[in-house]
Amino acid sequence: MILRSIYPLIALLVGGLVTMPAAAESPSKKVRDPNEKVCEDVQMLGSRLAVKRFCATRAEWAEMRQRDRDVVDQTQRSPNGPCQTVNTHSGAAVC
């Protein structure tokens, strides 16, 4: 008896899930102003409690993030990494 009452509920749920993606698509995407000032709290290295607040425009934040990505990419692509190997007896890297 319980199964008979659950089947219509399952059918409604499945039917609702099938139509959800069509309803979730919206033709207009919200465009944000690149000149809007945005503040972010940045946790300082070496402390779990120290936080510094930085404010910049959205365009400046995007530029900073791109520069950070470029530095990481350049470091990962360099043959010896951030440290250069010096001809020592041990062959250890010296930074």
Side-chain angles (χ1 to χ4, degrees):
M1 191 68 173
I2 295 174
L3 291 177
R4 288 184 187 171
S5 62
I6 292 177
Y7 285 128
L9 180 61
I10 292 173
L12 286 174
L13 289 174
V14 171
L17 292 176
V18 172
T19 58
M20 275 182 45
E25 295 174 13
S26 63
S28 64
K29 233 181 181 183
K30 192 173 189 178
V31 178
R32 294 185 174 179
D33 181 21
N35 296 322
E36 179 184 3
K37 195 151 207 148
V38 176
C39 295
E40 290 185 11
D41 292 333
V42 178
Q43 187 173 6
M44 304 307 291
L45 288 175
S47 174
R48 291 180 289 159
L49 303 175
V51 176
K52 186 158 181 148
R53 189 165 186 83
F54 291 102
C55 296
T57 64
R58 289 188 188 277
E60 290 170 337
W61 280 113
E63 182 181 333
M64 286 187 274
R65 286 188 180 101
Q66 183 61 46
R67 271 189 277 145
D68 290 345
R69 270 188 241 118
D70 291 343
V71 168
V72 170
D73 287 344
Q74 182 182 7
T75 303
Q76 289 177 342
R77 287 188 187 126
S78 70
N80 295 324
C83 299
Q84 299 295 323
T85 304
V86 178
N87 291 330
T88 60
H89 295 292
S90 65
V94 177
C95 296

